[in-house]
Every structure is written in structure tokens, then in C-alpha cells.
């Protein structure tokens, strides 16, 4: 792992086409700007980990699961009850 | 071409039926090609990896279960998936089955599909209302009082 220090306003380049900017620093929080090509995905690490884990938990590894879904009775569609 | 699958044995699939993940299913970055195996009269379909016979997901059309599910698709996904018109777009979510009473949809990280070019991406919604587990099983009503309520 490369460790380096930057001051507010300074930048880091990855390869030739990814630029990380230190936009603001305040207390324990740093605001980071990232410019990257479309094909580069950028994730908050804890979100990436949560989605990855959920994906792994979803792999169908028994025939019973398939049968269970075949037998599934469709409910009436629900609202997602979003909290905004 | 013939592919091996752990769940379905050997399957004959056509090149034109192959789906390519332009943004991978997170955690499965090296599995880029899948085939969709629909089930008759079912809102569920299997998503089977071409190169890993043990990698099978179940996808669901989220709108069948949550008819107010919605999100904006960022331009970068439209560019990545070459989406030109809304007719080309399909949305699917990964189903998690833990038990017959615990079946949920991942509304936080749906798959966006371009049905014209058969390219797909798992995207993460930066919206607070959707989680990785939204149950689709009717919850039984509470019938029995908590035993603690009888204690002095």
C-alpha cells in the first residue's frame, strides 16, 4: 500500500487518466473529487462490501431453492415504503 | 455451444443468447458472460455463468413485486450499455433465498440490461430508501402476545 500525504487542493494521479483531488478537509472528514473514465467504477468501500456479500449470499447452490421459487405464489404488488 | 452447469447439467446455448456484464456483479469481476434461463409462468429467471458452472443467480422483475420501484439511470450507465431508447432497457434484481419464509430482493443494487445488445451492469443506487433485502414473503400477523407481558 502506498501512503502519501496531500494538502487541500492537491491531487493524485492513477495511470494517466484518473485524478483524485483533495477538495476540502474538515475535522475527521475529507472531501475527495475523482475524475475517471466511464469504465472505472467508484464505490464507497463499505457499500461495495455490503453488495458483494449480498451477491455471495444469493448464489443458488441447491436444487431445493429452484423448486421453492417455482412454487412461489405471487402476492399483490407492494409499495416499497421508501423513507425519504 | 455446450456449457456445463451444476444445477442444470449440460446446456446448449447460442452465441446470440449470451449476456455480457459491462459492469460486473460485485465480487464476481471475472465472470463476465451469462445466459438467462427463463422459467415458464414465473417472475423469476436463472442467471447462469458461462465459465463457472457453480455460479447461478435468480433474477426477478422488481416491478412485479414493488410497482413503485424507480430510479434515475445516470448517463454513464446509459453510455456504458449503449442505451438509446427506453424500449431497450430492462431491470432485474437479484433474489436472495434464505428459507421458504425468507426470500428477498436486492433493490439497492439492481441489474440494468440493454436487451438489444445483451449487455448488463450491476449498479448501486445512491438513494436512501432501497436496501439489499426487501422481503417478498407475506409476513404472518402477530397472534401471540409476548410471554414477557404476563410477568410481574
Amino acid at each position: 500500500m502506498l501512503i502519501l500525504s496531500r494538502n487541500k487542493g492537491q491531487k493524485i494521479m492513477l495511470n494517466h487518466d484518473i485524478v483524485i483531488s483533495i477538495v476540502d478537509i474538515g475535522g475527521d472528514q475529507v472531501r475527495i473529487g475523482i475524475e475517471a473514465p466511464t469504465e472505472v467504477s467508484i464505490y464507497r468501500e463499505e457499500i461495495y462490501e455490503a453488495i458483494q456479500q449480498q451477491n455471495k449470499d444469493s448464489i443458488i447452490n441447491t436444487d431445493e431453492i429452484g423448486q421453492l421459487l417455482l412454487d412461489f405464489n405471487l402476492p399483490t404488488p407492494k409499495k416499497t415504503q421508501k423513507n425519504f | 455451444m455446450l456449457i456445463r452447469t451444476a444445477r442444470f447439467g449440460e446446456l446448449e446455448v447460442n452465441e446470440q443468447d449470451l449476456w455480457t456484464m459491462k459492469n460486473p456483479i460485485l465480487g464476481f469481476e471475472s465472470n463476465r458472460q451469462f445466459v438467462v434461463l427463463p422459467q415458464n409462468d414465473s417472475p423469476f429467471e436463472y442467471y447462469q455463468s458461462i465459465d463457472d458452472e457453480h455460479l447461478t443467480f435468480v433474477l426477478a422483475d422488481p416491478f412485479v413485486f414493488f410497482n413503485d420501484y424507480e430510479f434515475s439511470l445516470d448517463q454513464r450507465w446509459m453510455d456504458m450499455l449503449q442505451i438509446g431508447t427506453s424500449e431497450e432497457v430492462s431491470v432485474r434484481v437479484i433474489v436472495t433465498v434464505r428459507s421458504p419464509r425468507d426470500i428477498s430482493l436486492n433493490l439497492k443494487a439492481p441489474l440494468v440490461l440493454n436487451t438489444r445488445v445483451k449487455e448488463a451492469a450491476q449498479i448501486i443506487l445512491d438513494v436512501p430508501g432501497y436496501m439489499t433485502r426487501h422481503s417478498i414473503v407475506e409476513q404472518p400477523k402477530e397472534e401471540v402476545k409476548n410471554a414477557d407481558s404476563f410477568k410481574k
Side-chain angles (χ1 to χ4, degrees):
Chain A
M1 174 182 282
L2 177 67
I3 309 275
L4 59 162
S5 296
R6 302 270 69 194
N7 295 323
K8 188 164 89 169
Q10 291 186 311
K11 303 183 186 199
I12 299 168
M13 291 192 64
L14 304 184
N15 288 339
H16 63 278
D17 55 2
I18 300 173
V19 182
I20 300 173
S21 306
I22 308 303
V23 172
D24 201 4
I25 304 173
D28 277 343
Q29 191 180 84
V30 59
R31 177 161 296 137
I32 302 171
I34 308 173
E35 299 160 81
T38 310
E39 59 271 15
V40 174
S41 297
I42 302 167
Y43 306 104
R44 289 173 173 77
E45 185 261 357
E46 68 277 10
I47 303 227
Y48 179 94
E49 289 297 319
I51 304 296
Q52 177 180 234
Q53 189 57 54
Q54 188 64 224
N55 287 338
K56 287 185 175 167
D57 290 346
S58 305
I59 297 173
I60 304 301
N61 49 23
T62 71
D63 294 334
E64 283 72 39
I65 297 178
Q67 191 54 48
L68 209 146
L69 290 170
L70 272 180
D71 297 338
F72 192 84
N73 288 319
L74 281 183
T76 50
K78 298 194 280 198
K79 302 296 180 188
T80 50
Q81 292 166 358
K82 288 182 285 192
N83 303 313
F84 283 111
Chain B
M1 57 187 277
L2 214 58
I3 64 167
R4 295 166 57 85
T5 74
R7 302 264 65 80
F8 316 107
E10 284 194 337
L11 296 178
E12 177 66 38
V13 301
N14 294 318
E15 290 282 333
Q16 56 259 42
D17 291 335
L18 296 185
W19 284 81
T20 302
M21 300 303 297
K22 300 296 284 184
N23 202 52
I25 293 175
L26 272 56
F28 300 94
E29 280 73 14
S30 53
N31 302 103
R32 292 291 180 149
Q33 292 210 294
F34 287 80
V35 63
V36 173
L37 304 173
Q39 306 301 298
N40 290 339
D41 299 328
S42 173
F44 304 111
E45 47 202 14
Y46 292 107
Y47 204 51
Q48 172 68 46
S49 167
I50 297 299
D51 44 42
D52 182 348
E53 60 179 284
H54 297 284
L55 191 60
T56 311
F57 294 102
V58 174
L59 302 183
D61 177 343
F63 306 105
V64 166
F65 299 93
F66 301 103
N67 56 16
D68 63 341
Y69 185 51
E70 64 174 328
F71 55 89
S72 302
L73 198 56
D74 283 352
Q75 189 63 42
R76 81 173 277 242
W77 301 116
M78 297 187 56
D79 291 344
M80 179 186 281
L81 296 174
Q82 306 173 65
I83 291 171
T85 71
S86 58
E87 281 76 37
E88 300 175 333
V89 182
S90 185
V91 178
R92 291 289 182 267
V93 293
I94 295 179
V95 182
T96 309
V97 182
R98 288 190 159 82
S99 75
R101 306 301 304 163
D102 187 352
I103 304 176
S104 60
L105 306 187
N106 184 345
L107 299 187
K108 174 98 181 146
L111 269 64
V112 179
L113 293 79
N114 182 334
T115 55
R116 175 178 57 86
V117 296
K118 291 204 162 57
E119 292 180 350
Q122 183 174 39
I123 73 174
I124 301 181
L125 302 184
D126 201 7
V127 162
Y130 296 131
M131 272 77 72
T132 58
R133 296 172 66 173
H134 286 254
S135 175
I136 56 173
V137 175
E138 296 295 331
Q139 301 302 325
K141 289 191 177 32
E142 284 290 301
E143 285 177 334
V144 179
K145 273 189 191 170
N146 189 315
D148 287 338
S149 67
F150 292 108
K151 288 184 191 162
K152 287 288 180 200

